[in-house]
Amino acid sequence: MRYFIELSYCGTAYHGWQTQANGVSVQTTLEAALTQRLRKPVFVVGSGRTDAGVHARQQFAHFDLDEPILLSDALVYSINCILPEDIAIRTLFPVAPNHHARFSAVSRYYQYHITRYKNAFEPGLTYHFRPELNVELMNEACQILMRHTDFKSFSKVRANVTHFRCRLDFAYWQRSEADLLTLHIKANRFLWGMVRTIVGTMLEIGQGRMTLEQFEQLIVAQDRTIAGRAAPPNGLYLMEVGYPANILEQRVVYG
């Protein structure tokens, strides 16, 4: 039996999603809770890897079991009681054996949050960036971004991928009344470090340190060394992972 988990987490205390030797990860913490509750070893596969300090409003993972389990609100509640406060399972549901949390996903939607003023009640949840920004110019840069499909210039150099092509569905900046500037960006896939590097580069544009012509030239150059520095991880949120409707047909939200 294969099961999908829908969860969310605050990434501040974790060294990213993926299990690693140098720190606590979301994946390791989730596996430990499932193993304890189900009383058998459980190994999960996520829809994608988030870096250290990155958050997820919606993340999916799958795991396999030899025997079916009785799904209920009580089961989800009991696993959430084992998990730390900064990780929460929303639902757990069966899928076909060939449905894969990563490879069956058709889209990912991220937001990046920036504030000009420090907020003592939200440490590590937004990027506190003081300079004034030309948001109109940054949105023009988003329109340039939408015209392209190869984003090698925004990928970390050691990214283990066969190609750097992504299909963007939308990309735009939006300022709220509560002093929050947010990048909304959705694509079929994202490269390692891609969103944070796009944000860092667009902050250069917003400050007048890079022209729109230079921005398009660096995309075409396919050279990470000429793009801006990556923005800090604490402002980045994985908001939504999209799947075909047939995969989610048995999804029931508990609680």
Side-chain angles (χ1 to χ4, degrees), residues 90-183:
R90 190 177 189 198
T91 188
L92 200 164
F93 57 98
V95 295
N98 63 327
H99 292 162
H100 195 284
R102 178 184 175 190
F103 298 123
S104 297
V106 294
S107 65
R108 281 90 173 170
Y109 165 36
Y110 281 90
Q111 290 182 4
Y112 194 93
H113 297 167
I114 297 173
T115 54
R116 292 195 70 233
Y117 300 98
K118 184 178 180 180
N119 187 332
F121 299 99
E122 295 186 346
L125 300 180
T126 59
Y127 178 28
H128 177 211
F129 188 78
R130 188 65 181 164
E132 289 281 2
L133 296 168
N134 186 332
V135 179
E136 183 178 345
L137 207 59
M138 292 161 69
N139 270 321
E140 288 185 43
C142 285
Q143 292 305 307
I144 293 173
L145 202 67
M146 293 290 296
R147 297 202 295 260
H148 294 270
T149 57
D150 192 305
F151 298 103
K152 185 176 182 180
S153 292
F154 301 115
S155 175
K156 289 187 178 180
V157 176
R158 297 189 305 276
N160 184 24
V161 294
T162 57
H163 66 87
F164 297 89
R165 295 184 300 278
C166 307
R167 186 201 69 246
L168 291 182
D169 294 326
F170 57 72
Y172 62 93
W173 289 91
Q174 184 177 47
R175 191 186 294 279
S176 72
E177 296 179 359
D179 182 50
L180 183 66
L181 178 61
T182 302
L183 172 67

Side-chain angles (χ1 to χ4, degrees), residues 17-226:
W17 163 265
Q18 187 179 20
T19 297
Q20 49 195 293
N22 65 340
V24 180
S25 71
V26 178
Q27 181 183 14
T28 301
T29 306
L30 179 61
E31 288 175 342
L34 290 168
T35 296
Q36 179 180 337
R37 176 60 183 83
L38 300 177
R39 299 184 179 181
K40 57 188 68 180
V42 176
F43 305 96
V44 302
V45 176
S47 69
R49 303 170 183 174
T50 52
D51 288 341
V54 174
H55 319 293
R57 293 283 187 181
Q58 184 187 65
Q59 169 71 292
F60 282 91
H62 78 250
F63 66 92
D64 297 324
L65 292 176
D66 293 333
E67 300 176 354
I69 53 177
L70 179 61
L71 300 176
S72 66
D73 179 75
L75 175 64
V76 172
Y77 175 77
S78 65
I79 299 171
N80 277 326
C81 287
I82 297 170
L83 286 166
E85 292 294 322
D86 49 11
I87 302 177
I89 293 178
R90 190 177 189 198
T91 188
L92 200 164
F93 57 98
V95 295
N98 63 327
H99 292 162
H100 195 284
R102 178 184 175 190
F103 298 123
S104 297
V106 294
S107 65
R108 281 90 173 170
Y109 165 36
Y110 281 90
Q111 290 182 4
Y112 194 93
H113 297 167
I114 297 173
T115 54
R116 292 195 70 233
Y117 300 98
K118 184 178 180 180
N119 187 332
F121 299 99
E122 295 186 346
L125 300 180
T126 59
Y127 178 28
H128 177 211
F129 188 78
R130 188 65 181 164
E132 289 281 2
L133 296 168
N134 186 332
V135 179
E136 183 178 345
L137 207 59
M138 292 161 69
N139 270 321
E140 288 185 43
C142 285
Q143 292 305 307
I144 293 173
L145 202 67
M146 293 290 296
R147 297 202 295 260
H148 294 270
T149 57
D150 192 305
F151 298 103
K152 185 176 182 180
S153 292
F154 301 115
S155 175
K156 289 187 178 180
V157 176
R158 297 189 305 276
N160 184 24
V161 294
T162 57
H163 66 87
F164 297 89
R165 295 184 300 278
C166 307
R167 186 201 69 246
L168 291 182
D169 294 326
F170 57 72
Y172 62 93
W173 289 91
Q174 184 177 47
R175 191 186 294 279
S176 72
E177 296 179 359
D179 182 50
L180 183 66
L181 178 61
T182 302
L183 172 67
H184 301 262
I185 187 165
K186 182 179 180 181
N188 65 321
R189 67 192 286 260
F190 285 93
L191 306 169
W192 186 19
M194 176 176 166
V195 179
R196 290 170 54 200
T197 307
I198 287 173
V199 171
T201 305
M202 287 194 177
L203 290 178
E204 296 292 300
I205 295 170
Q207 295 174 87
R209 296 178 177 178
M210 179 183 293
T211 67
L212 295 175
E213 291 76 15
Q214 290 172 325
F215 180 65
E216 185 148 34
Q217 287 169 6
L218 78 84
I219 297 174
V220 173
Q222 299 180 18
D223 182 358
R224 171 64 185 90
T225 62
I226 62 175

